[in-house]
Amino acid sequence: MAVGLPESASVRGARALAVARAVEKRFGEIRAVRGVSIELEAGRIHAVCGENGAGKSTLLKVLAGMLVPDAGEVVVGGARLDPHTPREAIRRGVSMVLQHFALIPVFTVLENLMLGAEPTKRGALDEASARARAQAIADDLGVKLPLDERVEALGIGDRQRVEIARALFRDARLLILDEPTAVLTKSEATQLYATLRRLVQAGKGVVVVTHKLDEVRDHADVVTVMRRGELVFSRPLDRDGDVGAQIDAIGSAIMGAGSVAHARAGDAATGAGDAAASGGGEALVMEGVRVGRGLVDLSLTLREGEIVGVAGIEGNGQKELVAVLGGDVAPDAGIVRGGPFAIVREDRQTEGLVLDASLRDNVVLGELGRFARWHGGIDREALEREARARIERSGAPTDLDRLARTLSGGNQQKIVVERALSRSARVVVAAQPTRGVDLAASADIHAKLRDAAARGAGVLVISADLDELRKLASRIVVLARGRIVAELPPTATDEEIGRHMLGLEGERFDGATP
Amino acid sequence: MSALEVIVSGTMLAQTARMTIPYACAALGGVVSERSGVVNIALEGILLSSALAAVAVQGATESAAMGLLAGVLCGAAIGLVHAAVVVWGRIDAIVSGLAINLAAAGGTRVVLRALYGSSSNSPSVRGLEPFEHMGPLARTLLDPFLLLTLVSAALLSWSLRRTRFGLRLRACGEDPSAAQAVGVDVGWTRTLAVTIGGAVCGLGGTALAFELHQFQAGMTGGRGFIALAAVIVARWRPWPAVGACLAFAALDALQIVLQNQTKVPSQLFAILPFAATLVALALVSRRARGDARPPAGLGKHPDG
């Protein structure tokens, strides 16, 4: 397989358990992975880092046979992966443990371990040999596996160990874990890495997808950084050198270099927001809000006429924040005061629009009561007038009979934003308002949000795009692990914001997490 | 003889056992199908079709064994059709089951008229009675259908728990996507499960026809649906399903005796087994949160 490769590559290739060459993967119009080449080797803990949507999980799912690449080559166990299925990848020793476990809750641990790789004897399951094998794996891992317990009775950490044991039951030589510590407590995470270290010492390869830099600092041997579908770099961590500096470099690579310039560019626009903010009363006050496990202790004040940006890595409470402000859930504790609210939800296709309904219906969705007449019928003329006015303001195509499905993402989003802003709300919450939207439409949507603030509404923008937050907001708060961990001016650099997002400066908050 | 003497008599026991067989076979067929994740309300149609197939083939070949084989194969074939439509065609299982039941109700009449020129019943056949010279109780206990039913229950129960196929079948019923992710071929596993279920159910239809020595239009009288209720009451486990069917059959046999022995309007007693079924279902669904739950992947397809 090494023919034609540079020598260094062929020498390393000898240890490579899985190789991607110029792999490309698209989902619709989004290029999730753009021509990435990577080698995954035995005997190392390899951390793959990047923001949400950077393409790390997609790349590794391609390597594990779960996604078929649109271009490029995947070599597993020395030969091209064919057929490109998880079954074949598993057969060749590559197993991936996903974030949501694929265990069967009512099965015992032993049954889950066996499923798909059952030893049999004279037509029946050979439970004794499966048990012996499971025990040997547990011993190798240095963990206890309650083999006869049903999986549903186990905690998250145990379930994860069962998933890892299951991969080893199938003779996995390369184990890929997708954000394995996202669901674990700090001590469980430490245990997990101890287990992974044992595997690596036994000659297995381990790949961990993570965006927690403290874990990278403490446990990784090799680090790969991805950003916007591209591989930024892939190199070993030099433990003898200045680890802190290397971690900082990884942090900036994750956030993207040269973003200081962007910060300056946003200044002009944010000035207006500042001025309005100083005079406004409180539009929204949140104090000590707790929602499930997502929001732990969130306090936030939003003034009239002010735009506040919420930065943070996805999964740190953004969903719960929108849910509680949108009235989907009541807070378990704390106070939420303010409103009325207008919410631009994150997923316009499932939460924002009825795709198979007309633009007319979509743009007044949820407000039919306004057009009701005394006998219960709808005042169609008034509805038509209002819908037309809104569509024209929105900048989307003005054919009212068109189905929402037929619009581009940008135009769909314009409709969602226009509808939210038409309800003279005092608090506007926009979650990822320009995700997957082209530049021109983004500019339109930003202008509308600024207008809303200028008319006196408090605007909360939740976004993964720091440039967007800097452009819009007069201050940026960082949401991490369910609370606001920092408040920064819009001039803050990516590195500054990133350190808070990644929890590098958030250690002091750890103690209070239940 | 007083009512009580009749109830505890061997005849009554024999009758209960014989009445249990069609219910139990259909329920076992339902268990194996639904444990693999395929909803099966087609049991009624399978019972009816295989009853006719058994009678027709025995009539034509003069061989009870061939009749039995035909009944079982007919059940398997309909099971296969149901699986093909639901698993590969991804048609809703309720719709497919309903279609099979309606087609069986109409189709058996058409075949009946074509073969025998009657729209109500076939000429009588001999059935399968190897122990005619023995007493009613011994004859019943050695009845091949009873033995086959018990063997089926034992085999199904054991293989669900102790074989590779059983483990995979249950995995398909619990979480088809997870099963697929570890390399289980969900489509084929389910197809095989529903086909086997159809065959067992076909055994029940054959037993019903041979018991009456003829085929009568609509002779199943809702037994397939009662069997479905038994599956639910038994929480999708083979032996408890047989037990639930036995209880139902015992009540049914009892009400026949009571009808003959008392002056109370017979219709009131006829309600008894069905009322009991309703009560049992209500009680079971109240404790549905307990240990035994329906298969979590029932009616779900794997991703992709």
Side-chain angles (χ1 to χ4, degrees), chain B residues 18 58 64 124-144 210-211 213:
Chain B
R18 282 162 166 270
Q58 184 180 5
S124 72
V125 294
R126 198 158 154 277
L128 193 61
E129 305 221 321
F131 307 109
E132 276 170 288
H133 54 283
M134 296 190 186
L137 185 57
R139 204 166 64 207
T140 301
L141 292 183
L142 291 174
D143 178 40
F210 282 10
E211 169 81 12
H213 297 286

PDB file of all heavy atoms in Angstrom, chain B residues 18 58 64 124-144 210-211 213:
ATOM      1  N   ARG B  18     -58.297 -28.797  24.162  1.00  0.00           N
ATOM      2  CA  ARG B  18     -58.500 -28.724  22.718  1.00  0.00           C
ATOM      3  C   ARG B  18     -58.838 -27.314  22.256  1.00  0.00           C
ATOM      4  O   ARG B  18     -58.392 -26.866  21.198  1.00  0.00           O
ATOM      5  CB  ARG B  18     -59.649 -29.656  22.314  1.00  0.00           C
ATOM      6  CG  ARG B  18     -59.230 -31.103  22.267  1.00  0.00           C
ATOM      7  CD  ARG B  18     -60.442 -32.005  22.309  1.00  0.00           C
ATOM      8  NE  ARG B  18     -60.045 -33.356  21.933  1.00  0.00           N
ATOM      9  CZ  ARG B  18     -60.061 -33.798  20.683  1.00  0.00           C
ATOM     10  NH1 ARG B  18     -60.472 -33.025  19.712  1.00  0.00           N
ATOM     11  NH2 ARG B  18     -59.663 -35.029  20.416  1.00  0.00           N
ATOM     12  N   GLN B  58     -56.152 -31.947   2.555  1.00  0.00           N
ATOM     13  CA  GLN B  58     -56.481 -33.287   3.040  1.00  0.00           C
ATOM     14  C   GLN B  58     -57.575 -33.912   2.178  1.00  0.00           C
ATOM     15  O   GLN B  58     -57.520 -35.103   1.842  1.00  0.00           O
ATOM     16  CB  GLN B  58     -56.935 -33.281   4.507  1.00  0.00           C
ATOM     17  CG  GLN B  58     -57.171 -34.730   4.948  1.00  0.00           C
ATOM     18  CD  GLN B  58     -57.632 -34.877   6.364  1.00  0.00           C
ATOM     19  OE1 GLN B  58     -57.881 -33.892   7.047  1.00  0.00           O
ATOM     20  NE2 GLN B  58     -57.743 -36.123   6.796  1.00  0.00           N
ATOM     21  N   ALA B  64     -53.931 -36.796   6.109  1.00  0.00           N
ATOM     22  CA  ALA B  64     -53.982 -35.784   7.163  1.00  0.00           C
ATOM     23  C   ALA B  64     -52.638 -35.100   7.314  1.00  0.00           C
ATOM     24  O   ALA B  64     -52.560 -33.890   7.576  1.00  0.00           O
ATOM     25  CB  ALA B  64     -54.394 -36.425   8.488  1.00  0.00           C
ATOM     26  N   SER B 124     -67.036 -32.778   4.994  1.00  0.00           N
ATOM     27  CA  SER B 124     -66.232 -33.090   6.172  1.00  0.00           C
ATOM     28  C   SER B 124     -64.995 -33.907   5.795  1.00  0.00           C
ATOM     29  O   SER B 124     -65.001 -34.645   4.814  1.00  0.00           O
ATOM     30  CB  SER B 124     -67.073 -33.855   7.199  1.00  0.00           C
ATOM     31  OG  SER B 124     -67.307 -35.143   6.742  1.00  0.00           O
ATOM     32  N   VAL B 125     -63.952 -33.709   6.578  1.00  0.00           N
ATOM     33  CA  VAL B 125     -62.718 -34.469   6.385  1.00  0.00           C
ATOM     34  C   VAL B 125     -62.454 -35.260   7.655  1.00  0.00           C
ATOM     35  O   VAL B 125     -63.061 -35.001   8.700  1.00  0.00           O
ATOM     36  CB  VAL B 125     -61.524 -33.550   6.081  1.00  0.00           C
ATOM     37  CG1 VAL B 125     -61.718 -32.866   4.744  1.00  0.00           C
ATOM     38  CG2 VAL B 125     -61.335 -32.556   7.211  1.00  0.00           C
ATOM     39  N   ARG B 126     -61.506 -36.177   7.585  1.00  0.00           N
ATOM     40  CA  ARG B 126     -61.337 -37.062   8.713  1.00  0.00           C
ATOM     41  C   ARG B 126     -60.528 -36.410   9.843  1.00  0.00           C
ATOM     42  O   ARG B 126     -60.725 -36.709  11.017  1.00  0.00           O
ATOM     43  CB  ARG B 126     -60.646 -38.345   8.234  1.00  0.00           C
ATOM     44  CG  ARG B 126     -60.818 -39.471   9.215  1.00  0.00           C
ATOM     45  CD  ARG B 126     -60.614 -40.805   8.521  1.00  0.00           C
ATOM     46  NE  ARG B 126     -60.168 -41.760   9.518  1.00  0.00           N
ATOM     47  CZ  ARG B 126     -58.910 -41.875   9.902  1.00  0.00           C
ATOM     48  NH1 ARG B 126     -57.992 -41.125   9.348  1.00  0.00           N
ATOM     49  NH2 ARG B 126     -58.572 -42.735  10.835  1.00  0.00           N
ATOM     50  N   GLY B 127     -59.646 -35.533   9.483  1.00  0.00           N
ATOM     51  CA  GLY B 127     -58.816 -34.940  10.523  1.00  0.00           C
ATOM     52  C   GLY B 127     -57.694 -35.870  10.927  1.00  0.00           C
ATOM     53  O   GLY B 127     -57.408 -36.850  10.240  1.00  0.00           O
ATOM     54  N   LEU B 128     -57.080 -35.548  12.051  1.00  0.00           N
ATOM     55  CA  LEU B 128     -55.894 -36.281  12.490  1.00  0.00           C
ATOM     56  C   LEU B 128     -56.216 -36.910  13.831  1.00  0.00           C
ATOM     57  O   LEU B 128     -56.136 -36.250  14.866  1.00  0.00           O
ATOM     58  CB  LEU B 128     -54.742 -35.273  12.610  1.00  0.00           C
ATOM     59  CG  LEU B 128     -53.317 -35.780  12.748  1.00  0.00           C
ATOM     60  CD1 LEU B 128     -52.906 -36.594  11.541  1.00  0.00           C
ATOM     61  CD2 LEU B 128     -52.386 -34.601  12.941  1.00  0.00           C
ATOM     62  N   GLU B 129     -56.640 -38.170  13.838  1.00  0.00           N
ATOM     63  CA  GLU B 129     -57.051 -38.774  15.101  1.00  0.00           C
ATOM     64  C   GLU B 129     -56.439 -40.153  15.264  1.00  0.00           C
ATOM     65  O   GLU B 129     -57.096 -41.164  15.041  1.00  0.00           O
ATOM     66  CB  GLU B 129     -58.580 -38.863  15.169  1.00  0.00           C
ATOM     67  CG  GLU B 129     -59.230 -37.503  14.954  1.00  0.00           C
ATOM     68  CD  GLU B 129     -60.395 -37.274  15.894  1.00  0.00           C
ATOM     69  OE1 GLU B 129     -61.156 -38.210  16.142  1.00  0.00           O
ATOM     70  OE2 GLU B 129     -60.516 -36.149  16.404  1.00  0.00           O
ATOM     71  N   PRO B 130     -55.179 -40.210  15.668  1.00  0.00           N
ATOM     72  CA  PRO B 130     -54.494 -41.507  15.727  1.00  0.00           C
ATOM     73  C   PRO B 130     -54.920 -42.378  16.912  1.00  0.00           C
ATOM     74  O   PRO B 130     -54.616 -43.558  16.933  1.00  0.00           O
ATOM     75  CB  PRO B 130     -53.020 -41.121  15.840  1.00  0.00           C
ATOM     76  CG  PRO B 130     -53.034 -39.758  16.432  1.00  0.00           C
ATOM     77  CD  PRO B 130     -54.303 -39.101  16.031  1.00  0.00           C
ATOM     78  N   PHE B 131     -55.592 -41.798  17.892  1.00  0.00           N
ATOM     79  CA  PHE B 131     -55.882 -42.584  19.124  1.00  0.00           C
ATOM     80  C   PHE B 131     -57.383 -42.712  19.351  1.00  0.00           C
ATOM     81  O   PHE B 131     -57.875 -42.526  20.455  1.00  0.00           O
ATOM     82  CB  PHE B 131     -55.215 -41.935  20.339  1.00  0.00           C
ATOM     83  CG  PHE B 131     -53.751 -41.704  20.143  1.00  0.00           C
ATOM     84  CD1 PHE B 131     -53.253 -40.425  19.976  1.00  0.00           C
ATOM     85  CD2 PHE B 131     -52.871 -42.783  20.104  1.00  0.00           C
ATOM     86  CE1 PHE B 131     -51.900 -40.215  19.795  1.00  0.00           C
ATOM     87  CE2 PHE B 131     -51.509 -42.565  19.911  1.00  0.00           C
ATOM     88  CZ  PHE B 131     -51.026 -41.290  19.752  1.00  0.00           C
ATOM     89  N   GLU B 132     -58.130 -43.042  18.303  1.00  0.00           N
ATOM     90  CA  GLU B 132     -59.591 -43.032  18.393  1.00  0.00           C
ATOM     91  C   GLU B 132     -60.155 -44.020  19.397  1.00  0.00           C
ATOM     92  O   GLU B 132     -61.241 -43.816  19.924  1.00  0.00           O
ATOM     93  CB  GLU B 132     -60.191 -43.332  17.010  1.00  0.00           C
ATOM     94  CG  GLU B 132     -60.279 -42.094  16.148  1.00  0.00           C
ATOM     95  CD  GLU B 132     -60.634 -42.463  14.734  1.00  0.00           C
ATOM     96  OE1 GLU B 132     -59.774 -43.014  14.033  1.00  0.00           O
ATOM     97  OE2 GLU B 132     -61.790 -42.223  14.350  1.00  0.00           O
ATOM     98  N   HIS B 133     -59.438 -45.122  19.645  1.00  0.00           N
ATOM     99  CA  HIS B 133     -59.977 -46.149  20.521  1.00  0.00           C
ATOM    100  C   HIS B 133     -59.845 -45.790  21.994  1.00  0.00           C
ATOM    101  O   HIS B 133     -60.390 -46.447  22.853  1.00  0.00           O
ATOM    102  CB  HIS B 133     -59.249 -47.479  20.246  1.00  0.00           C
ATOM    103  CG  HIS B 133     -57.758 -47.352  20.345  1.00  0.00           C
ATOM    104  ND1 HIS B 133     -57.010 -46.767  19.337  1.00  0.00           N
ATOM    105  CD2 HIS B 133     -56.898 -47.706  21.328  1.00  0.00           C
ATOM    106  CE1 HIS B 133     -55.742 -46.789  19.699  1.00  0.00           C
ATOM    107  NE2 HIS B 133     -55.651 -47.339  20.902  1.00  0.00           N
ATOM    108  N   MET B 134     -59.114 -44.717  22.318  1.00  0.00           N
ATOM    109  CA  MET B 134     -58.898 -44.377  23.734  1.00  0.00           C
ATOM    110  C   MET B 134     -60.023 -43.490  24.258  1.00  0.00           C
ATOM    111  O   MET B 134     -60.862 -43.001  23.526  1.00  0.00           O
ATOM    112  CB  MET B 134     -57.577 -43.649  23.899  1.00  0.00           C
ATOM    113  CG  MET B 134     -56.377 -44.514  23.526  1.00  0.00           C
ATOM    114  SD  MET B 134     -54.882 -43.682  24.017  1.00  0.00           S
ATOM    115  CE  MET B 134     -53.665 -44.761  23.324  1.00  0.00           C
ATOM    116  N   GLY B 135     -59.976 -43.276  25.583  1.00  0.00           N
ATOM    117  CA  GLY B 135     -60.961 -42.423  26.220  1.00  0.00           C
ATOM    118  C   GLY B 135     -60.733 -40.973  25.841  1.00  0.00           C
ATOM    119  O   GLY B 135     -59.678 -40.622  25.299  1.00  0.00           O
ATOM    120  N   PRO B 136     -61.709 -40.088  26.094  1.00  0.00           N
ATOM    121  CA  PRO B 136     -61.609 -38.682  25.658  1.00  0.00           C
ATOM    122  C   PRO B 136     -60.404 -37.956  26.261  1.00  0.00           C
ATOM    123  O   PRO B 136     -59.720 -37.207  25.578  1.00  0.00           O
ATOM    124  CB  PRO B 136     -62.924 -38.073  26.128  1.00  0.00           C
ATOM    125  CG  PRO B 136     -63.476 -39.018  27.137  1.00  0.00           C
ATOM    126  CD  PRO B 136     -62.960 -40.371  26.790  1.00  0.00           C
ATOM    127  N   LEU B 137     -60.116 -38.204  27.538  1.00  0.00           N
ATOM    128  CA  LEU B 137     -59.028 -37.473  28.192  1.00  0.00           C
ATOM    129  C   LEU B 137     -57.681 -37.910  27.626  1.00  0.00           C
ATOM    130  O   LEU B 137     -56.854 -37.091  27.221  1.00  0.00           O
ATOM    131  CB  LEU B 137     -59.072 -37.689  29.701  1.00  0.00           C
ATOM    132  CG  LEU B 137     -58.042 -36.874  30.492  1.00  0.00           C
ATOM    133  CD1 LEU B 137     -58.213 -35.388  30.224  1.00  0.00           C
ATOM    134  CD2 LEU B 137     -58.155 -37.161  31.978  1.00  0.00           C
ATOM    135  N   ALA B 138     -57.444 -39.233  27.562  1.00  0.00           N
ATOM    136  CA  ALA B 138     -56.185 -39.757  27.044  1.00  0.00           C
ATOM    137  C   ALA B 138     -55.996 -39.322  25.604  1.00  0.00           C
ATOM    138  O   ALA B 138     -54.910 -38.902  25.196  1.00  0.00           O
ATOM    139  CB  ALA B 138     -56.163 -41.279  27.135  1.00  0.00           C
ATOM    140  N   ARG B 139     -57.098 -39.359  24.840  1.00  0.00           N
ATOM    141  CA  ARG B 139     -57.026 -38.982  23.439  1.00  0.00           C
ATOM    142  C   ARG B 139     -56.595 -37.526  23.306  1.00  0.00           C
ATOM    143  O   ARG B 139     -55.782 -37.153  22.464  1.00  0.00           O
ATOM    144  CB  ARG B 139     -58.398 -39.190  22.795  1.00  0.00           C
ATOM    145  CG  ARG B 139     -58.328 -39.398  21.313  1.00  0.00           C
ATOM    146  CD  ARG B 139     -59.644 -39.933  20.797  1.00  0.00           C
ATOM    147  NE  ARG B 139     -60.718 -38.983  20.972  1.00  0.00           N
ATOM    148  CZ  ARG B 139     -61.993 -39.319  21.105  1.00  0.00           C
ATOM    149  NH1 ARG B 139     -62.341 -40.584  21.105  1.00  0.00           N
ATOM    150  NH2 ARG B 139     -62.914 -38.394  21.240  1.00  0.00           N
ATOM    151  N   THR B 140     -57.122 -36.704  24.182  1.00  0.00           N
ATOM    152  CA  THR B 140     -56.781 -35.283  24.129  1.00  0.00           C
ATOM    153  C   THR B 140     -55.337 -35.042  24.540  1.00  0.00           C
ATOM    154  O   THR B 140     -54.609 -34.279  23.914  1.00  0.00           O
ATOM    155  CB  THR B 140     -57.714 -34.488  25.054  1.00  0.00           C
ATOM    156  OG1 THR B 140     -59.047 -34.701  24.621  1.00  0.00           O
ATOM    157  CG2 THR B 140     -57.370 -33.021  25.008  1.00  0.00           C
ATOM    158  N   LEU B 141     -54.935 -35.725  25.620  1.00  0.00           N
ATOM    159  CA  LEU B 141     -53.584 -35.464  26.119  1.00  0.00           C
ATOM    160  C   LEU B 141     -52.530 -35.951  25.125  1.00  0.00           C
ATOM    161  O   LEU B 141     -51.422 -35.438  25.099  1.00  0.00           O
ATOM    162  CB  LEU B 141     -53.392 -36.132  27.477  1.00  0.00           C
ATOM    163  CG  LEU B 141     -54.238 -35.508  28.591  1.00  0.00           C
ATOM    164  CD1 LEU B 141     -53.944 -36.166  29.924  1.00  0.00           C
ATOM    165  CD2 LEU B 141     -53.992 -34.013  28.680  1.00  0.00           C
ATOM    166  N   LEU B 142     -52.872 -36.937  24.322  1.00  0.00           N
ATOM    167  CA  LEU B 142     -51.920 -37.444  23.334  1.00  0.00           C
ATOM    168  C   LEU B 142     -52.174 -36.834  21.955  1.00  0.00           C
ATOM    169  O   LEU B 142     -51.573 -37.244  20.974  1.00  0.00           O
ATOM    170  CB  LEU B 142     -52.019 -38.967  23.252  1.00  0.00           C
ATOM    171  CG  LEU B 142     -51.497 -39.704  24.504  1.00  0.00           C
ATOM    172  CD1 LEU B 142     -51.758 -41.191  24.397  1.00  0.00           C
ATOM    173  CD2 LEU B 142     -50.020 -39.426  24.715  1.00  0.00           C
ATOM    174  N   ASP B 143     -53.077 -35.870  21.912  1.00  0.00           N
ATOM    175  CA  ASP B 143     -53.417 -35.236  20.645  1.00  0.00           C
ATOM    176  C   ASP B 143     -52.168 -34.636  20.003  1.00  0.00           C
ATOM    177  O   ASP B 143     -51.445 -33.868  20.640  1.00  0.00           O
ATOM    178  CB  ASP B 143     -54.451 -34.132  20.908  1.00  0.00           C
ATOM    179  CG  ASP B 143     -54.814 -33.413  19.630  1.00  0.00           C
ATOM    180  OD1 ASP B 143     -54.949 -34.086  18.609  1.00  0.00           O
ATOM    181  OD2 ASP B 143     -54.930 -32.169  19.672  1.00  0.00           O
ATOM    182  N   PRO B 144     -51.890 -34.988  18.750  1.00  0.00           N
ATOM    183  CA  PRO B 144     -50.679 -34.471  18.113  1.00  0.00           C
ATOM    184  C   PRO B 144     -50.620 -32.944  18.113  1.00  0.00           C
ATOM    185  O   PRO B 144     -49.544 -32.367  18.266  1.00  0.00           O
ATOM    186  CB  PRO B 144     -50.774 -35.005  16.681  1.00  0.00           C
ATOM    187  CG  PRO B 144     -51.789 -36.081  16.702  1.00  0.00           C
ATOM    188  CD  PRO B 144     -52.658 -35.888  17.893  1.00  0.00           C
ATOM    189  N   PHE B 210     -59.372 -29.344  11.790  1.00  0.00           N
ATOM    190  CA  PHE B 210     -59.415 -30.790  12.014  1.00  0.00           C
ATOM    191  C   PHE B 210     -60.289 -31.138  13.223  1.00  0.00           C
ATOM    192  O   PHE B 210     -60.890 -32.203  13.276  1.00  0.00           O
ATOM    193  CB  PHE B 210     -57.995 -31.341  12.186  1.00  0.00           C
ATOM    194  CG  PHE B 210     -57.253 -31.488  10.886  1.00  0.00           C
ATOM    195  CD1 PHE B 210     -57.769 -30.951   9.701  1.00  0.00           C
ATOM    196  CD2 PHE B 210     -56.042 -32.171  10.820  1.00  0.00           C
ATOM    197  CE1 PHE B 210     -57.087 -31.085   8.505  1.00  0.00           C
ATOM    198  CE2 PHE B 210     -55.356 -32.315   9.626  1.00  0.00           C
ATOM    199  CZ  PHE B 210     -55.873 -31.758   8.470  1.00  0.00           C
ATOM    200  N   GLU B 211     -60.331 -30.242  14.192  1.00  0.00           N
ATOM    201  CA  GLU B 211     -61.167 -30.436  15.367  1.00  0.00           C
ATOM    202  C   GLU B 211     -62.643 -30.526  14.947  1.00  0.00           C
ATOM    203  O   GLU B 211     -63.400 -31.342  15.450  1.00  0.00           O
ATOM    204  CB  GLU B 211     -60.955 -29.260  16.335  1.00  0.00           C
ATOM    205  CG  GLU B 211     -61.938 -29.161  17.489  1.00  0.00           C
ATOM    206  CD  GLU B 211     -61.581 -30.095  18.634  1.00  0.00           C
ATOM    207  OE1 GLU B 211     -60.453 -30.632  18.620  1.00  0.00           O
ATOM    208  OE2 GLU B 211     -62.422 -30.297  19.524  1.00  0.00           O
ATOM    209  N   HIS B 213     -63.565 -31.101  11.798  1.00  0.00           N
ATOM    210  CA  HIS B 213     -63.625 -31.999  10.644  1.00  0.00           C
ATOM    211  C   HIS B 213     -64.164 -31.332   9.396  1.00  0.00           C
ATOM    212  O   HIS B 213     -64.667 -31.987   8.492  1.00  0.00           O
ATOM    213  CB  HIS B 213     -64.466 -33.252  10.971  1.00  0.00           C
ATOM    214  CG  HIS B 213     -63.864 -34.060  12.066  1.00  0.00           C
ATOM    215  ND1 HIS B 213     -62.752 -34.844  11.896  1.00  0.00           N
ATOM    216  CD2 HIS B 213     -64.215 -34.158  13.375  1.00  0.00           C
ATOM    217  CE1 HIS B 213     -62.439 -35.408  13.056  1.00  0.00           C
ATOM    218  NE2 HIS B 213     -63.297 -34.997  13.963  1.00  0.00           N
TER     219      HIS B 213
END
